[in-house]
Amino acid sequence: MAEIAAARPFPFCFDPATTALIVIDMQRDFIEPGGFGAALGNDVSVLEAIVPTVATLIDGFRAADLPVIHTRECHRPDLSDCPPAKRERGKPSLRIGDPGPMGRILIAGEPGAEIVPQLLPVAGEIVIDKPGKGAFYATSLGDDLTRLNIRTLVFAGVTTEVCVQTTMREANDRGFDCLLAEDATESYFPEFKEAALQMIRAQGAIVGWTATTAEIVDALDD
Ligand code: TIU
């Protein structure tokens, strides 16, 4: 067993042999100008800052020969998996499926839906295309984790309070121990990130634990 003594709200014990990293939605559409995040009115530059830290976390898992799973939020070109309520809500400058500077917004196969070049999956790593915020909904993720005998999930990616928190809650309900890498996740809203971290670890880690990337990689090294 490995332990992260400094994890919050209290030490986190896990078996690396049954642990995987899930990197949520580190896509150009959320991180670069001209994509979905920007179309929603957000300053996307804050998200780019975590890319090197996410890379460090991925490297730590690869070095330990543990699974790295990537997710992408995107829809089929015919939008058959995009509920009208998702496409039509609000007043974005571009809607899901509209043509933008990085191709059609949030559509599988378009440049904007790709993971940023610094964090591209390597051969053999699972990539989950998901139509929702949670990575378990309408995907093979649950079956993949069962096949890999995974019991513990470490989370990174964007955005903290939307797709990361939703997926952590889905995982928690399915019985996984969940740990969020505090500095390898980001929100367009700093106060929402902080609130999400607090609500995840409140009430005795009701959703999960948090720790820094250095603390997690050190535990994998030991
Ligand atoms: N808008 C926002 O904060 N996030 C999303 O729409 N998707 C993800 O978090 N991936």
Side-chain angles (χ1 to χ4, degrees):
M1 294 292 281
E3 185 186 36
I4 302 174
R8 288 151 288 280
F10 47 78
F12 182 73
C13 294
F14 67 104
D15 180 359
T18 55
T19 298
L21 173 65
I22 302 202
V23 183
I24 306 277
D25 299 358
M26 290 297 289
Q27 297 161 258
R28 299 182 64 197
D29 255 327
F30 293 107
I31 292 169
E32 296 185 17
F36 185 59
L40 294 172
N42 299 303
D43 171 9
V44 297
S45 64
V46 293
L47 267 51
E48 190 174 19
I50 66 161
V51 169
T53 311
V54 178
T56 298
L57 188 59
I58 291 173
D59 286 346
F61 273 75
R62 286 177 182 157
D65 207 19
L66 300 181
V68 177
I69 298 170
H70 308 257
T71 72
R72 301 184 293 203
E73 183 178 354
C74 57
H75 295 277
R76 296 189 194 121
D78 65 2
L79 296 175
S80 58
D81 61 353
C82 182
K86 181 177 185 183
R87 179 172 147 78
E88 290 164 14
R89 67 160 186 251
K91 293 194 186 323
S93 58
L94 293 170
R95 294 186 186 277
I96 295 168
D98 287 350
M102 294 188 288
R104 293 179 67 201
I105 297 283
L106 231 59
I107 297 296
E110 299 285 337
E114 297 299 331
I115 292 168
V116 294
Q118 304 94 311
L119 304 177
L120 283 176
V122 298
E125 290 178 349
I126 293 171
V127 180
I128 301 284
D129 282 351
K130 63 185 183 65
K133 295 172 179 65
F136 287 85
Y137 167 68
T139 73
S140 64
L141 180 60
D143 290 341
D144 292 330
L145 296 174
T146 299
R147 183 170 34 82
L148 295 172
N149 194 30
I150 297 298
R151 304 302 319 149
T152 300
L153 295 173
V154 176
F155 288 88
V158 298
T159 62
T160 314
E161 80 282 10
V162 183
C163 291
V164 176
Q165 183 174 209
T166 301
T167 304
M168 282 188 78
R169 289 174 182 274
E170 286 185 323
N172 176 268
D173 279 347
R174 285 163 172 78
F176 294 93
D177 282 324
C178 297
L179 173 69
L180 175 58
E182 297 165 13
D183 51 352
T185 184
E186 194 52 272
S187 168
Y188 300 119
F189 306 90
E191 67 275 25
F192 289 177
K193 173 178 177 178
E194 186 50 38
L197 294 178
Q198 288 189 35
M199 63 179 84
I200 283 164
R201 60 195 177 212
Q203 305 182 70
I206 191 146
V207 176
W209 286 252
T210 74
T212 65
T213 293
E215 289 164 351
I216 297 166
V217 173
D218 278 354
L220 294 177
D221 278 347
D222 287 345

